[in-house]
C-alpha cells in the first residue's frame, strides 16, 4: 500500500509538470493540485499557445506524455461524438498505443516467470519484439514441435503505474463532477469505473487466455473463423503463449485480390461473425479494428487481441434483442420502455418529448437512403438523445456501439454501399422465431405464472400493511379523486385483462406441452390439439388487444 502511495505521488508530480508544460496552469490553480504548482513550475518550461497549438492538440499531447493509462482512456473516448466536440474527437483518434520497446532478457524472463528450462520447450525466442504497446510487447518464438508461437509479455511495473494513475484519475473525476454539471451529465465517474475494470482485465493475461478459450468454444464447428490455439502450460498472468497467426489485415484490399479472395464476401463474413458474437453468444470482441481482424489464405477470418471483451448476461441479451427489434420496427414507446429497463439510471423530465424526439429521429432515417446512412452519425445522434434525458446505459452497450462502428467502417472499406441495417434483419427474424418456439413459450409462460403467483401472495400483505398504517394514523392520504366511477371502470377493466392474460399464458403452456407430448392426431407433424390450443390463445390475444384500445 505504501509503495502504491509513493508511485501515486510521483505520478501526481508528473501530471502537474506535464499540465504546466502544455499551458494548463490556470486549471491546476483552481484544483486540489494548486499547492504543487509553485514547486513544480520553476523547473518546467511551458509550451505556449503562440506555438500554434489548439487546446485540443495540447490535451492530446498531455495524454500521450502521461503514458498508457491516459492514452487508453483517450482512445476509449475517441468514439464518443455524442459527448465531445468534433475537434477533440479528431485529436483523440491520433492517440497511438505504440511506445519504444523495453529492454528485456526475454529468455531469462520466460524461464523465471514460468519456472521452466526454456531450451526444453522452445526451439528459439527472438530477442527483439516485433510489436510493442503500452501494456505489453510481443516476441516471436518456435516450439520444439515446430509450431510458431508468439509470447505476449507484460511490461515491467506497468500494473503499479496503472493502479496509481487510476487513483489520481478518480480524484480528478470527483473534483470535476463536484464543480461542473457538464461532467456530471457525461457520467464521468461511471465511465471511469467501467474503464478501470476494462484496463485491469487487459493487464491480466490469464483473463485473456480464458477469453480466447471461451471464444473458441463459441465458434466450434464454424469454418468461417479460425481461433488461435493457446498454451496454458506456457502462460501465466504476465506471459501469454499462443499460436502465431499468419494473416493480412482485413482492409488490405489489394492483398485480398492478389490472394484470389472476394473482398465483398470477406466483409459480409466479418459482419456476420461479429453479429453472431453479440446476438447469439453475448460475448464479443470489444476492439475489432482492422489490425485485430486478419484474413488467412483459406479465406477464414481470425480475431486477435482478446484482452478486452464485451460480456452480456442472458437477461441483458434479451433486452438488447428487444432494443434492436423496437429500433428496427421504429416503435418509440416500446423502445423507451426497454431503455428504462436497461439503464443504470435515468432522469427523464418529459417522456412525451422524448418519444417525439425519437420519432423525429426515425423520420430522419426514413428520409435517407439506407445505403448512405452513416452508422456512426446515427448512433451519435441517438446517444445525444439519451444524454439529454440523462439515460446512463451499461458499459457493455458503449463497447458494443464502438465495435459496431469499427466493423461497419471495415465493411464500408470493402463494400462502399454496405447496408448494415439489412444485415440485421435475418437476426431479428431468428430472434422472433426463437421466442415463438414451443420450448421458449413454455418457459415464458411458467415465468409469467410464477410472477403472478408471487404477486398474489405479496399483494394481500402489502394491502394489509397500508390498512394497518391508516388505522394507526401513520399514513395520511390527501388527494382529490375526480371521476371515481371512471377510475373504477378502468380498474375492473384492468383486472379483466389480467385474468385474460393468465388464461392466454395457460393455453400457450398447454400448446407447448402438447407439442412435446407428440399425441395424435397430427397435421403436418404437429398435434391437432396443440394447434387448436395455440389458435384459441391467439384469438384471446386479439380480444385482449381490442379491449385495451381506448
Amino acid at each position: 500500500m505504501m509503495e502504491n502511495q509513493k508511485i501515486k505521488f510521483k505520478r501526481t508530480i508528473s501530471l502537474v509538470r506535464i499540465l504546466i508544460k502544455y499551458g494548463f496552469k490556470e486549471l491546476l490553480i483552481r484544483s486540489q493540485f494548486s499547492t504543487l504548482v509553485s514547486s513544480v513550475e520553476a523547473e518546467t518550461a511551458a509550451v505556449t499557445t503562440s506555438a500554434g497549438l489548439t487546446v485540443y492538440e495540447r490535451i492530446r499531447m498531455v495524454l500521450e506524455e502521461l503514458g498508457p493509462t491516459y492514452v487508453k482512456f483517450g482512445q476509449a473516448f475517441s468514439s464518443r461524438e455524442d459527448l465531445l466536440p468534433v475537434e477533440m474527437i479528431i485529436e483523440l483518434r491520433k492517440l497511438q498505443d505504440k511506445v519504444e520497446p523495453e529492454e528485456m532478457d526475454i529468455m531469462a524472463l520466460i524461464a523465471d516467470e514460468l519456472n521452466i528450462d526454456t531450451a526444453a520447450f522452445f526451439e528459439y525466442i527472438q530477442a527483439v519484439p516485433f510489436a510493442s504497446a503500452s501494456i505489453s510487447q510481443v516476441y516471436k518464438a518456435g516450439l520444439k514441435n515446430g509450431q510458431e508461437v508468439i509470447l505476449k509479455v507484460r511490461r515491467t511495473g506497468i500494473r503499479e503505474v496503472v493502479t496509481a494513475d487510476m487513483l489520481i484519475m478518480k480524484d480528478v473525476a470527483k473534483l470535476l463532477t463536484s464543480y461542473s454539471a457538464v461532467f456530471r451529465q457525461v457520467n464521468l465517474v461511471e465511465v471511469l469505473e467501467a474503464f478501470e475494470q476494462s484496463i485491469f482485465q487487459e493487464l491480466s493475461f490469464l483473463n485473456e487466455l480464458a477469453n480466447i478459450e471461451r471464444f473458441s468454444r463459441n465458434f466450434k464447428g464454424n469454418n468461417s473463423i479460425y481461433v488461435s490455439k493457446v498454451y496454458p502450460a506456457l502462460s501465466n498472468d504476465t506471459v501469454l503463449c499462443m499460436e502465431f497467426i499468419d494473416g493480412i489485415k482485413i482492409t488490405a484490399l489489394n492483398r485480398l485480390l492478389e490472394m484470389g479472395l472476394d473482398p465483398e464476401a470477406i466483409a459480409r463474413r466479418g459482419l456476420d461473425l461479429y453479429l453472431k458474437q453479440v446476438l447469439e453468444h453475448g460475448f464479443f470482441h470489444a476492439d475489432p479494428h482492422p489490425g485485430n481482424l486478419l484474413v488467412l489464405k483459406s479465406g477464414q477470418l481470425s480475431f486477435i487481441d482478446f484482452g478486452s471483451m464485451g460480456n452480456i448476461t442472458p437477461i441483458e441479451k434479451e433486452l438488447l434483442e428487444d432494443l434492436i427489434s423496437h429500433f428496427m420496427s421504429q416503435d418509440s414507446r416500446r423502445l423507451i420502455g426497454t431503455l428504462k429497463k436497461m439503464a443504470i439510471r435515468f432522469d427523464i423530465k418529459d417522456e412525451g418529448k422524448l418519444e417525439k424526439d425519437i420519432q423525429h429521429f426515425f423520420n430522419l432515417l426514413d428520409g435517407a437512403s439506407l445505403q448512405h446512412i452513416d452508422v456512426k452519425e446515427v448512433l451519435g445522434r441517438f446517444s445525444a438523445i439519451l444524454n439529454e434525458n440523462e439515460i446512463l446505459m451499461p458499459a457493455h452497450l458503449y463497447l458494443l456501439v464502438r465495435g459496431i462502428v469499427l466493423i461497419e467502417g471495415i465493411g464500408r472499406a470493402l463494400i462502399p454501399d454496405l447496408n448494415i441495417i439489412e444485415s440485421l434483419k435475418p437476426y431479428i427474424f431468428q430472434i422472433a422465431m426463437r421466442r415463438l418456439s414451443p420450448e421458449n413459450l413454455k418457459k415464458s409462460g411458467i415465468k409469467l405464472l410464477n410472477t403472478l403467483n408471487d404477486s398474489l401472495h405479496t399483494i394481500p400483505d402489502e394491502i394489509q400493511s397500508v390498512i394497518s398504517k391508516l388505522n394507526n394514523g401513520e399514513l395520511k392520504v390527501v388527494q382529490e379523486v375526480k371521476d371515481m366511477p371512471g377510475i373504477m371502470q378502468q380498474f375492473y377493466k384492468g383486472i379483466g385483462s389480467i385474468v385474460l392474460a393468465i388464461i392466454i399464458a395457460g393455453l400457450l403452456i398447454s400448446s407447448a406441452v402438447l407439442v412435446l407430448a407428440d399425441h395424435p392426431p397430427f397435421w403436418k407433424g404437429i398435434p391437432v390439439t396443440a394447434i387448436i390450443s395455440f389458435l384459441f390463445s391467439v384469438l384471446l390475444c386479439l380480444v385482449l388487444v381490442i379491449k385495451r384500445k381506448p
Side-chain angles (χ1 to χ4, degrees):
M1 185 63 70
M2 285 295 294
E3 187 62 31
N4 284 343
Q5 289 301 319
K6 287 180 183 177
I7 297 172
K8 181 185 175 183
F9 180 73
K10 288 180 181 178
R11 293 293 292 167
T12 303
I13 295 295
S14 296
L15 172 66
V16 172
R17 182 180 292 115
I18 291 167
L19 285 172
I20 292 174
K21 177 181 175 180
Y22 289 102
F24 292 103
K25 176 184 171 183
E26 292 302 316
L27 175 66
L28 288 168
I29 289 174
R30 293 197 300 269
S31 75
Q32 66 191 71
F33 303 113
S34 57
T35 54
L36 296 173
V37 172
S38 56
S39 60
V40 173
E41 188 177 18
E43 56 185 88
T44 305
V47 175
T48 64
T49 52
S50 60
L53 298 172
T54 67
V55 64
Y56 303 114
E57 287 174 316
R58 287 186 286 132
I59 289 171
R60 189 251 305 163
M61 294 167 79
V62 166
L63 295 174
E64 285 178 334
E65 197 159 333
L66 282 169
T69 316
Y70 295 87
V71 167
K72 286 191 172 292
F73 188 63
Q75 289 173 335
F77 266 94
S78 65
S79 60
R80 299 301 302 271
E81 291 94 339
D82 55 309
L83 298 181
L84 302 175
V86 176
E87 299 86 353
M88 180 75 153
I89 294 292
I90 291 170
E91 289 303 316
L92 292 180
R93 286 179 181 159
K94 294 178 183 177
L95 290 168
Q96 296 296 313
D97 190 20
K98 293 181 180 178
V99 293
E100 288 298 313
E102 176 187 348
E103 286 191 19
M104 290 182 181
D105 183 344
I106 188 63
M107 296 291 283
L109 185 144
I110 295 297
D112 182 56
E113 280 290 338
L114 302 178
N115 194 25
I116 61 170
D117 176 8
T118 53
F121 291 88
F122 294 94
E123 194 66 40
Y124 69 90
I125 300 177
Q126 291 183 351
V128 179
F130 75 86
S132 177
S134 54
I135 285 178
S136 62
Q137 44 199 51
V138 185
Y139 296 81
K140 199 169 180 181
L143 298 178
K144 283 292 186 180
N145 63 6
Q147 177 68 59
E148 285 190 317
V149 297
I150 62 168
L151 290 166
K152 190 173 180 180
V153 182
R154 195 167 67 207
R155 285 178 172 270
T156 307
I158 187 66
R159 181 181 285 276
E160 290 74 19
V161 169
V162 170
T163 300
D165 284 344
M166 288 308 309
L167 291 172
I168 297 168
M169 291 170 78
K170 285 178 183 177
D171 290 344
V172 172
K174 288 175 184 175
L175 179 72
L176 291 173
T177 50
S178 64
Y179 280 97
S180 171
V182 174
F183 289 103
R184 285 195 295 275
Q185 187 176 359
V186 302
N187 304 301
L188 183 58
V189 172
E190 288 85 354
V191 168
L192 195 58
E193 287 174 356
F195 170 72
E196 180 181 32
Q197 183 180 4
S198 173
I199 195 168
F200 276 111
Q201 284 177 349
E202 284 192 60
L203 285 168
S204 169
F205 290 164
L206 286 178
N207 175 70
E208 183 169 354
L209 186 147
N211 288 343
I212 297 170
E213 291 180 327
R214 178 178 174 183
F215 193 84
S216 180
R217 287 193 300 272
N218 287 346
F219 281 103
K220 187 176 181 180
N222 189 323
N223 295 324
S224 298
I225 190 170
Y226 185 85
V227 184
S228 59
K229 182 180 178 182
V230 289
Y231 297 86
L234 297 174
S235 304
N236 65 11
D237 212 42
T238 304
V239 177
L240 176 61
C241 181
M242 58 192 296
E243 179 184 359
F244 173 72
I245 300 296
D246 185 14
I248 62 170
K249 284 171 65 171
I250 191 171
T251 50
L253 182 59
N254 292 334
R255 292 286 306 280
L256 291 175
L257 294 171
E258 288 171 9
M259 292 164 64
L261 298 173
D262 179 4
E264 183 171 340
I266 293 295
R268 295 197 184 282
R269 190 173 300 155
L271 178 58
D272 182 62
L273 290 171
Y274 194 72
L275 291 176
K276 278 185 185 296
Q277 293 173 42
V278 176
L279 297 176
E280 290 186 20
H281 305 152
F283 183 68
F284 59 93
H285 199 292
D287 193 20
H289 63 72
N292 281 341
L293 188 48
L294 305 181
V295 183
L296 311 187
K297 291 178 182 178
S298 62
Q300 291 175 297
L301 300 187
S302 183
F303 287 82
I304 61 173
D305 193 356
F306 292 84
S308 180
M309 300 291 290
N311 198 8
I312 310 175
T313 66
I315 293 174
E316 289 170 338
K317 189 159 79 72
E318 190 173 319
L319 288 171
L320 178 62
E321 291 172 354
D322 290 339
L323 185 73
I324 295 171
S325 296
H326 301 330
F327 193 94
M328 297 286 285
S329 62
Q330 299 193 359
D331 189 334
S332 53
R333 182 165 296 182
R334 282 193 171 92
L335 184 68
I336 292 170
T338 303
L339 284 171
K340 287 158 74 173
K341 290 177 185 176
M342 294 179 74
I344 295 173
R345 71 163 187 267
F346 58 86
D347 185 15
I348 303 171
K349 301 290 192 299
D350 185 344
E351 196 161 311
K353 180 179 180 301
L354 173 59
E355 189 174 342
K356 287 178 183 176
D357 288 344
I358 291 175
Q359 198 57 54
H360 178 64
F361 170 77
F362 287 147
N363 294 338
L364 289 176
L365 289 184
D366 285 341
S369 169
L370 286 176
Q371 280 76 12
H372 297 99
I373 288 175
D374 186 336
V375 169
K376 191 191 307 178
E377 184 181 348
V378 168
L379 293 173
R381 286 190 181 187
F382 191 69
S383 294
I385 294 173
L386 299 185
N387 288 332
E388 186 180 335
N389 291 274
E390 296 187 35
I391 301 174
L392 176 64
M393 304 305 286
H396 71 260
L397 202 63
Y398 295 111
L399 286 177
L400 175 58
V401 167
R402 182 171 185 270
I404 288 175
V405 168
L406 289 170
I407 285 290
E408 199 257 354
I410 290 171
R412 294 267 184 177
L414 299 176
I415 312 174
D417 61 347
L418 174 70
N419 185 343
I420 195 169
I421 294 178
E422 286 296 324
S423 301
L424 277 169
K425 287 184 178 178
Y427 285 94
I428 300 302
F429 179 74
Q430 288 176 26
I431 290 166
M433 294 307 295
R434 188 179 70 245
R435 291 189 174 186
L436 288 172
S437 69
E439 187 62 32
N440 193 66
L441 288 173
K442 178 182 173 183
K443 288 180 181 176
S444 299
I446 291 171
K447 183 179 178 182
L448 175 61
L449 287 174
N450 284 333
T451 302
L452 290 170
N453 183 56
D454 290 342
S455 298
L456 289 172
H457 278 86
T458 57
I459 288 173
D461 291 337
E462 290 170 356
I463 292 173
Q464 184 61 43
S465 175
V466 172
I467 292 171
S468 176
K469 287 181 179 180
L470 281 170
N471 288 335
N472 295 329
E474 297 173 13
L475 181 67
K476 293 183 180 179
V477 179
V478 181
Q479 180 67 47
E480 182 182 357
V481 181
K482 296 180 180 179
D483 190 23
M484 179 57 77
I487 292 173
M488 291 305 295
Q489 185 180 357
Q490 288 296 318
F491 175 74
Y492 290 125
K493 187 178 178 182
I495 292 293
S497 296
I498 291 172
V499 172
L500 200 55
I502 293 172
I503 294 170
I504 291 168
L507 286 169
L508 287 173
I509 293 170
S510 300
S511 301
V513 171
L514 288 168
V515 168
L516 296 173
D518 205 26
H519 238 343
F522 298 101
W523 184 75
K524 292 190 177 182
I526 303 173
V528 173
T529 50
I531 295 171
I532 293 170
S533 179
F534 180 74
L535 290 175
F536 191 50
S537 66
V538 170
L539 179 63
L540 288 179
C541 280
L542 291 173
V543 172
L544 184 59
V545 170
I546 293 167
K547 280 171 62 73
R548 295 296 296 168
K549 285 186 177 181

